[in-house]
Amino acid sequence: MKSLIVILTLLYACVVKAQEYEFPEDFQFGVATASYQIEGAWDHGGKGENIWDRMTHERSYLIEDGSNGDHACLSYYKTEEDVQLLKDLGVHFYRFSISWSRILPTGHANKINQEGIDYYNDLIDRLIAAEITPFITMFHWDLPQPLQEIGGWPNALLADIFVDYADVLYKVFGDRVKDWITFNEPAQICEQGYATADKAPAYTQEGIGGYLCAHTLLIAHGKAYRLYYQDYHEEQQGRVGITIDTGMYMPADEESPDDEEAAERTIQMYYGWHAHPIFSADGDYPQIMKDRVLAKSLEEGFPKSRLPSFTDAEIAMIRGSSDFLGLNHYTSSYCTTIPDEWVLQRPSNYADIEAWCYASPDWETSGSSWLTVYPEGLRKLLIWIKERYNNPEIIITENGFSDKDGSLNDCRRVNYFNSYLEQVLLAIHVDKVNVTRYTAWSLMDNFEWRRGYTERFGIHHVDFDDDERPRTAKMSAYVLKNIILTKKINWDYTPGGFSECDWDNWGTEEPEEEINEV
């Protein structure tokens, strides 16, 4: 009982301190989008076909509502309007992605589409004129279809083809763009794209395809980084990083060594899989991952590990190849060792890890089955990264909350941003974690991949029933604007025109439905 009182006292002290803390003067806030999710104009302006175009057109049954991104938010035609939304928010930067197929319609650098370059030049120039920093992601899941025809990311040749693409971007945009991300979420690209089929191109080569894909991506990232410092950095003075997603994985029973090992094993073999080769002192994949995949592979009758090996030169080239660590975080999980009867009798990353991870039934749910609300997990994760990777600069490149009703009075999203940002404040001031930027996902409701338009993450509502796709600011947009302006979190702030949130009965109210559902 005494220990419980001590813990509750400390938690109360942290909450009070979080309300007193401010974000550092040089801390920056932004919002993010991705090209396929918002641009539309899928076959206009000289753009080539990508893997999401192909999958949504030929296998629409894979999308929950049978929809696609052909029109999405029509951002290709609404640059001026979208930049005005950003300016109204007061953000310091805008993280958006380039459509590879819009720049190089065949995926290769032998054919450059000037219309695509003009589109992004206009966006970049308007952002700079509005005093908003352009923050570009080179690849956010929309691989040109011709490159998938030669095997996609599991084909090692794509590393050099990607570097050719990066070279074009540095050359045409690097005079104004100083912040680059090579890849967004390698695990989603690889494990879900080439193993579990939850993302395009929706292949199911479990235990092999994901590992081959990630190996190519890491080499491509390292080469693109080295190219920038070899040919462009001296003149352009920009920075290049990567964004890696993860939840925080915690032991289901803190007193159980097995659960502690299961949680650590999971984060090492999910997040460390991509982060360790770049940010650790030694480079290469985590040792526990190499050991486990090798042992499992031999048990399964393979003559060698299903996990590819880097050469010494590749390890050296990839290690340290990032000027910051981009972190996408939404939710957390408890982990325990998977029961023997649940182990898959086929090769897979899941079977290699041998852990069962799940959300607490006490956590608030969202519009996405995978996203539950546990703000403390973000602080724990930031501390974990600080301790494992020598406190690198961390840019939170995505963090956000989904619903299904699209309500303008989005109290649940407001609660999410306030509570997660409180944990960022504690990590900065109490734990001395080097977090320098925060990016809310997303600027507007958009095409949510295989969930189509059934889930909404936007701080601006988009009416997909209207051919003009009008945008309307939600309460969360005004709350974020206030945080950016004041550098503080104010739980009592309710923008004019919105009803107050009932914080005392949080999580018990029914979702509002005054906005049309898709």
Side-chain angles (χ1 to χ4, degrees), residues 395-466:
I395 297 175
I396 297 174
T397 43
E398 284 183 29
N399 180 241
F401 179 86
S402 67
D403 57 36
K404 289 185 177 293
D405 59 358
S407 171
L408 296 182
N409 205 68
D410 57 341
C411 285
R412 301 177 73 204
R413 184 170 290 106
V414 168
N415 176 70
Y416 184 96
F417 284 136
N418 282 343
S419 56
Y420 274 72
L421 280 167
E422 277 190 340
Q423 296 301 312
V424 175
L425 277 174
L426 290 169
I428 292 171
H429 289 284
V430 177
D431 310 310
K432 309 304 179 185
V433 180
N434 186 21
V435 186
T436 62
R437 298 187 193 183
Y438 174 88
T439 317
W441 183 271
S442 172
L443 172 63
M444 67 188 82
D445 296 334
N446 52 51
F447 178 80
E448 190 49 43
W449 308 113
R450 284 194 61 185
R451 306 291 82 76
Y453 298 99
T454 67
E455 298 175 9
R456 294 172 178 258
F457 279 86
I459 60 173
H460 290 89
H461 176 269
V462 177
D463 185 351
F464 294 105
D465 292 329
D466 189 321

Side-chain angles (χ1 to χ4, degrees), residues 322-361:
S322 198
D323 297 318
F324 56 85
L325 190 158
L327 173 65
N328 288 359
H329 174 81
Y330 291 87
T331 190
S332 297
S333 301
Y334 287 117
C335 298
T336 188
T337 299
I338 188 170
D340 291 340
E341 61 270 21
W342 287 11
V343 176
L344 295 178
Q345 301 304 309
R346 63 178 187 272
S348 72
N349 175 256
Y350 175 73
D352 291 339
I353 296 174
E354 281 190 315
W356 177 48
C357 299
Y358 58 92
S360 168

Side-chain angles (χ1 to χ4, degrees), residues 17-304:
K17 284 183 178 179
Q19 293 174 353
E20 294 174 351
Y21 289 135
E22 296 183 11
F23 289 96
E25 188 62 32
D26 59 351
F27 192 89
Q28 294 191 347
F29 290 89
V31 290
T33 61
S35 55
Y36 185 78
Q37 293 181 274
I38 68 166
E39 285 181 5
W42 81 275
D43 60 350
H44 294 183
K47 178 185 166 293
E49 184 186 27
N50 67 45
I51 57 175
W52 281 92
D53 297 324
R54 177 66 64 88
M55 189 180 82
T56 57
H57 293 160
E58 294 191 354
R59 293 188 284 168
S60 61
Y61 57 85
L62 292 176
I63 310 302
E64 187 168 326
D65 57 2
S67 64
N68 55 54
D70 287 4
H71 305 294
C73 306
L74 295 179
S75 285
Y76 183 77
Y77 306 103
K78 291 178 170 284
T79 300
E80 183 177 2
E81 181 178 343
D82 288 349
V83 171
Q84 187 60 50
L85 291 181
L86 294 161
K87 190 174 181 179
D88 291 344
L89 276 172
V91 293
H92 303 105
F93 64 92
Y94 175 42
R95 180 189 168 218
F96 62 97
S97 74
I98 300 283
S99 167
W100 188 340
S101 298
R102 202 174 290 286
I103 300 296
L104 305 177
T106 67
H108 297 279
N110 65 316
K111 181 181 179 182
I112 299 175
N113 177 34
Q114 188 60 45
E115 288 184 78
I117 290 173
D118 292 343
Y119 165 67
Y120 292 112
N121 270 333
D122 181 47
L123 173 57
I124 290 165
D125 290 343
R126 288 180 184 273
L127 289 170
I128 292 172
E131 299 184 339
I132 298 168
T133 298
F135 195 167
I136 287 183
T137 302
M138 299 179 189
F139 184 78
H140 198 130
W141 306 357
D142 47 355
L143 185 71
Q145 182 62 32
L147 299 183
Q148 185 55 48
E149 300 296 338
I150 61 170
W153 287 111
N155 182 348
L157 293 176
L158 257 68
D160 287 333
I161 296 173
F162 175 81
V163 174
D164 292 340
Y165 164 58
D167 192 29
V168 171
L169 299 186
Y170 295 148
K171 196 169 296 178
V172 298
F173 303 129
D175 59 326
R176 289 151 295 150
V177 175
K178 308 304 176 186
D179 295 287
W180 297 97
I181 291 170
T182 54
F183 294 100
N184 179 76
E185 301 184 347
Q188 304 296 317
I189 299 166
C190 294
E191 187 62 16
Q192 295 200 11
Y194 294 91
T196 64
D198 195 48
K199 300 287 188 300
Y203 285 6
T204 55
Q205 191 61 246
E206 286 189 279
I208 297 174
Y211 292 149
L212 292 174
C213 167
H215 201 72
T216 305
L217 251 64
L218 286 164
I219 292 171
H221 163 79
K223 287 185 173 184
Y225 179 89
R226 301 302 173 191
L227 171 69
Y228 187 79
Y229 275 85
Q230 175 184 304
D231 292 350
Y232 295 99
H233 183 265
E234 183 176 352
E235 178 180 350
Q236 296 181 359
Q237 293 297 301
R239 303 196 306 164
V240 180
I242 189 170
T243 282
I244 307 170
D245 69 299
T246 187
M248 182 57 196
Y249 299 99
M250 305 164 292
D253 180 355
E254 292 185 352
E255 303 298 322
S256 167
D258 286 345
D259 286 2
E260 184 72 39
E261 289 178 14
E264 181 66 16
R265 190 165 68 240
T266 301
I267 196 168
Q268 289 282 1
M269 294 182 67
Y270 182 85
Y271 186 65
W273 175 11
H274 311 102
H276 200 276
I278 300 170
F279 296 98
S280 70
D282 298 328
D284 204 355
Y285 296 120
Q287 191 62 48
I288 188 172
M289 185 171 191
K290 293 195 294 182
D291 292 345
R292 289 187 66 85
V293 180
L294 173 61
K296 283 282 187 180
S297 299
L298 295 178
E299 287 177 11
E300 293 156 351
F302 290 91
K304 60 183 179 181

